[in-house]
Amino acid sequence: MVDIRVLIVDDDKEIRDLLRKYLEREMYEVDVAVNGEEALYQFGQNKYNLIILDLMMPKVDGIEVCRQLRDKTNVPILMLTAKDHEIDKIVGLSIGADDYITKPFSINEVVARVKALLRRFMVLGSDGSSHDSTLIKFKDLTLDLKKCTAVIRDEEISLTAKELELLKFFVSHPEQVFTKTQLFRHVWGSTYIEDDNTVMVHIRKLRKKVEIDPSNPQFIQTVWGIGYKFVGEKDED
């Protein structure tokens, strides 16, 4: 069994203790940090497979922690946000959070989200464990599932775990149209989509990274009134 190590970052002791209790039941190793500064220090000292990050914290808030972590790692980040802070959720997703869950939350839902993120992260090989390198090629685009990168017109682009998974899903189903709900179900692993922002923000981020002109996308195209599709001829070489 692969050892899984999770970092919980929250200034609320009750929440930290609750999350730690249930994640340790899943046989994960769990560390905690009470603020953003401590989280960044802990990350520098240890290797983590997933980070649960509260958005509102003293000293260094979750947005800044997420931004700094994304400069260093593709490890999945699950953000905890207040239900009425919609703009913060969007900002969190925009700077690299893979998923978010609102407070108050169901502990069973948090555990399910954690498992889903970890499962996909480990399968994609971003944890550094031994997986066969997998390349998917489309003309100007090469997707490396092991390195968690995409090469666009000979330029290597770093992707978060969730961006990679979304792009992988698209390239695995070229020319097929998917609604936002279908994308959420397949990529985020949930049948319930709280709002459209999660999918829309990640698609916007992907377009900025893989398209020459994100406002006139070549690969990830909008099908008005329905959803999105990936357009491209697969390179079989």
Side-chain angles (χ1 to χ4, degrees), residues 40-190:
L40 292 170
Y41 175 79
Q42 293 246 48
F43 182 82
Q45 301 300 308
N46 304 291
K47 180 179 179 180
Y48 293 103
N49 302 97
L50 182 137
I51 298 171
I52 300 176
L53 180 62
D54 185 35
L55 205 150
M56 301 298 293
M57 291 185 299
K59 296 187 178 181
V60 182
D61 66 19
I63 294 293
E64 181 58 27
V65 172
C66 185
R67 182 180 290 111
Q68 292 191 38
L69 289 176
R70 274 294 167 254
D71 288 337
K72 305 171 183 176
T73 181
N74 290 318
V75 65
I77 297 175
L78 173 61
M79 279 198 136
L80 303 179
T81 73
K83 205 171 186 65
D84 58 343
H85 291 173
E86 184 65 29
I87 187 64
D88 291 332
K89 300 172 193 172
I90 296 172
V91 172
L93 291 171
S94 297
I95 63 173
D98 294 283
D99 200 358
Y100 69 84
I101 196 164
T102 55
K103 298 178 181 180
F105 52 74
S106 159
I107 187 61
N108 290 329
E109 182 179 359
V110 174
V111 172
R113 297 279 189 98
V114 166
K115 287 182 176 180
L117 285 171
L118 285 170
R119 182 167 59 250
R120 293 176 175 85
F121 186 61
M122 301 297 280
V123 167
L124 291 175
S126 303
D127 61 326
S129 59
S130 57
H131 296 269
D132 292 335
S133 178
T134 304
L135 299 178
I136 302 176
K137 298 182 180 181
F138 280 86
K139 297 296 182 181
D140 297 332
L141 168 64
T142 300
L143 189 60
D144 191 322
L145 304 183
K146 181 175 176 62
K147 292 183 179 179
C148 207
T149 60
V151 176
I152 312 295
R153 293 168 291 277
D154 298 323
E155 179 182 356
E156 185 171 284
I157 306 297
S158 180
L159 302 172
T160 68
K162 190 58 64 178
E163 289 168 353
L164 178 64
E165 189 178 352
L166 180 58
L167 186 54
K168 177 191 173 186
F169 182 77
F170 270 128
V171 301
S172 299
H173 303 84
E175 304 294 340
Q176 295 186 38
V177 180
F178 295 96
T179 66
K180 298 182 187 73
T181 300
Q182 288 173 322
L183 290 172
F184 192 80
R185 182 171 68 247
H186 286 289
V187 178
W188 277 262
S190 175

